[in-house]
Amino acid sequence: MTSTVNAAALALGDDALVLSHRLGEWAGHAPVLEEEVALANIALDLLGQARVLLSMVGDEDELAYLREERAFRNVQLVEQPNGDFAHTIARQLYFSTYQRLLYGRLAATGDGDFAGLAAKAVKEVAYHQDHAEQWTLRLGDGTAESHERMRRACAALWRFTGELFQPVEGLDVDWRELEADWLASVTAVLERATITVPDGPRTGAWSAGAGRQGLHTESFGRMLAEMQHLHRSHPGATW
Amino acid sequence: MVTGATAMTPLEEELSRLAGSVPDPELPVLTLEELGVLRGVHVLSSGRVEVELTPTYTGCPAIEAMSSDIERVLREHGVAEVSVVTVLSPAWSTDDISAEGRRKLAEFGIAPPRPQGGTGPVPVTLAIRCPRCGSTDTELLSRFSSTACKALRRCTSCREPFDHFKEL
């Protein structure tokens, strides 16, 4: 396995692992039982993808539980706190659209290092994207309160979406075309949801490519502390 | 579906039947053969057998129970060393569930998946039959249900909620 393939597997694996953990934080807190189950199911799919990807690099448990914050290569979007339900849905809309388009391309390469996983995962992610789209429409085109919360969430996370298209070494993808497709897809959903497409920058000078280089936002350290606490306190524990 | 059948020896065919007869840990009415997750059984050398298994969903935790059940059954049959490997490609599809498997699912109270060709969610407008009363007048409650592979629906005729093995 070449080092660029390792680096790409780490980037995609960390995206899936970190978002899976964030979604898992909804357990016991989701607005209704069906959503609790839905978010847990999406988290489980992502965890499965993370396990395959991290196992390409090394020991999955060591990578998940024993790395420091700076060693994680996930985009900053996935580490953003859950916020209210609208924030979680906006994060899901932005990320699952990206993941579906990216995995679709990786699957199409046929024999690339990631083709097998991508062909499988893209079918799961199609359900994640559908779930996020349906909620974006329902909240955006719902009550005045739900519209305002959905609008606010989409605007707040907009600046983390540019980083998704920073080229990942080891992945043979036309990133500009991917970005154009993503923008067209997300724009179409937001317009149907009666939400104005945010007009702010999609990256800040301080955040461009930052997560992929190991620079993360403030809340990520706290998330990792919680995620890694048990494993670090009881090394080698089993049940 | 057991692939590579052309090169199978009589012993491999017998071990395939044994491995394929293991019940699914989550849906015990189905065998692994009917679910379509068994991809191949290879005798590597005397007493050493490798079984290829594919997960329904990448994160499906049932795969570990399936693996240990297969190992147990083949060991009981006298195979000294059994290794179960997970293969992802080609990706499993609900189209891999056999006709008999679909019939058993419906009998068990789970609406079977509809046949499909492409990828992605199937439009919910296609009728899904209530496994209890047979009505096609059913509605989606949630795209996700008790396990990753199911969606939750309700029959508007008999009012019962039921699981639907969603298309993948």
Side-chain angles (χ1 to χ4, degrees):
Chain A
M1 183 98 33
T2 65
S3 62
T4 54
V5 172
N6 266 345
L10 206 55
L12 301 185
D14 284 348
D15 282 352
L17 174 68
V18 171
L19 185 56
S20 170
H21 189 84
R22 278 294 188 211
L23 290 173
E25 291 174 354
W26 274 106
H29 302 281
V32 290
L33 183 61
E34 285 81 0
E35 277 314 301
E36 175 124 350
V37 171
L39 295 172
N41 266 302
I42 294 170
L44 184 63
D45 286 344
L46 290 165
L47 190 61
Q49 295 162 18
R51 292 187 63 182
V52 172
L53 288 160
L54 295 182
S55 295
M56 289 169 74
V57 181
D59 181 274
E60 54 179 332
D61 285 341
E62 279 183 22
L63 287 166
Y65 295 124
L66 298 176
R67 271 182 301 161
E68 299 291 332
E69 182 182 337
R70 285 290 184 104
F72 278 80
R73 290 292 179 266
N74 55 283
V75 290
Q76 292 181 349
L77 175 67
V78 295
E79 74 200 31
Q80 295 311 304
N82 286 335
D84 63 9
F85 187 65
H87 271 79
T88 289
I89 292 302
R91 194 181 59 199
Q92 284 303 109
L93 177 71
Y94 292 163
F95 185 76
S96 62
T97 303
Y98 160 78
Q99 209 186 16
R100 187 181 183 183
L101 292 169
L102 176 62
Y103 280 6
R105 282 162 169 78
L106 294 177
T109 61
D111 58 353
D113 293 289
F114 301 98
L117 170 71
K120 175 134 201 78
V122 73
K123 301 202 291 177
E124 300 164 0
V125 173
Y127 278 102
H128 306 177
Q129 188 190 16
D130 183 54
H131 173 261
E133 282 189 14
Q134 299 303 325
W135 271 112
T136 303
L137 297 177
R138 193 166 159 190
L139 295 174
D141 197 13
T143 66
E145 171 78 8
S146 73
H147 174 85
E148 177 54 21
R149 286 195 185 214
M150 196 66 227
R151 186 202 61 75
R152 211 184 298 156
C154 288
L157 293 172
W158 192 245
R159 67 192 167 102
F160 295 107
T161 59
E163 190 191 356
L164 298 171
F165 308 101
Q166 296 286 320
V168 175
E169 209 186 343
L171 298 183
D172 184 19
V173 168
D174 183 336
W175 296 92
R176 292 182 65 157
E177 184 195 79
L178 180 71
E179 182 165 22
D181 287 357
W182 180 90
L183 205 51
S185 177
V186 166
T187 298
V189 176
L190 293 182
E191 283 175 353
R192 278 172 64 212
T194 73
I195 290 171
T196 310
V197 177
D199 58 2
R202 302 210 355 267
T203 54
W206 56 274
S207 72
R212 292 276 188 246
Q213 289 144 27
L215 299 176
H216 295 282
T217 50
E218 189 182 345
S219 61
F220 185 55
R222 287 196 291 274
M223 193 209 93
L224 271 192
E226 187 170 296
M227 188 177 96
Q228 298 182 334
H229 166 260
L230 191 70
H231 186 90
R232 287 180 184 266
S233 304
H234 304 279
T238 55
W239 62 337
Chain B
M1 178 181 62
V2 179
T3 52
T6 48
M8 281 220 288
T9 64
L11 176 61
E12 285 174 335
E13 279 175 21
E14 187 191 345
L15 296 176
S16 276
R17 269 195 303 278
L18 279 169
S21 66
V22 168
D24 178 276
E26 284 285 342
L27 302 161
V29 291
L30 286 192
T31 66
L32 299 187
E33 169 71 29
E34 287 159 349
L35 187 62
V37 294
L38 193 65
R39 284 285 167 81
V41 173
H42 312 288
V43 176
L44 302 176
S45 61
S46 181
R48 271 182 69 220
V49 170
E50 183 184 84
V51 179
E52 288 181 343
L53 199 60
T54 195
T56 53
Y57 281 70
T58 320
C60 183
I63 194 98
E64 287 170 22
M66 289 179 190
S67 299
S68 57
D69 287 349
I70 289 174
E71 284 172 21
R72 182 176 45 76
V73 166
L74 295 189
R75 283 218 185 88
E76 282 170 5
H77 194 70
V79 180
E81 198 181 318
V82 183
S83 56
V84 180
V85 294
T86 304
V87 293
L88 291 179
S89 187
W92 180 85
S93 154
T94 40
D95 286 349
D96 296 338
I97 302 177
S98 70
E100 177 67 2
R102 285 161 199 272
R103 193 190 60 74
K104 286 183 176 175
L105 277 176
E107 207 170 76
F108 191 55
I110 298 170
R114 293 158 294 181
Q116 52 151 22
T119 56
V122 171
V124 289
T125 45
L126 286 175
I128 294 167
R129 196 174 287 276
C130 169
R132 292 174 216 282
C133 76
S135 168
T136 53
D137 201 4
T138 65
E139 61 185 359
L140 180 72
L141 293 180
S142 174
R143 279 164 191 75
F144 301 90
S145 187
S146 53
T147 63
C149 53
K150 297 190 220 103
L152 186 63
R153 297 186 72 87
R154 176 167 52 204
C155 175
T156 44
S157 294
C158 73
R159 309 299 296 166
E160 282 290 329
F162 65 90
D163 268 337
H164 165 225
F165 207 121
K166 68 190 177 201
E167 294 74 21
L168 187 76

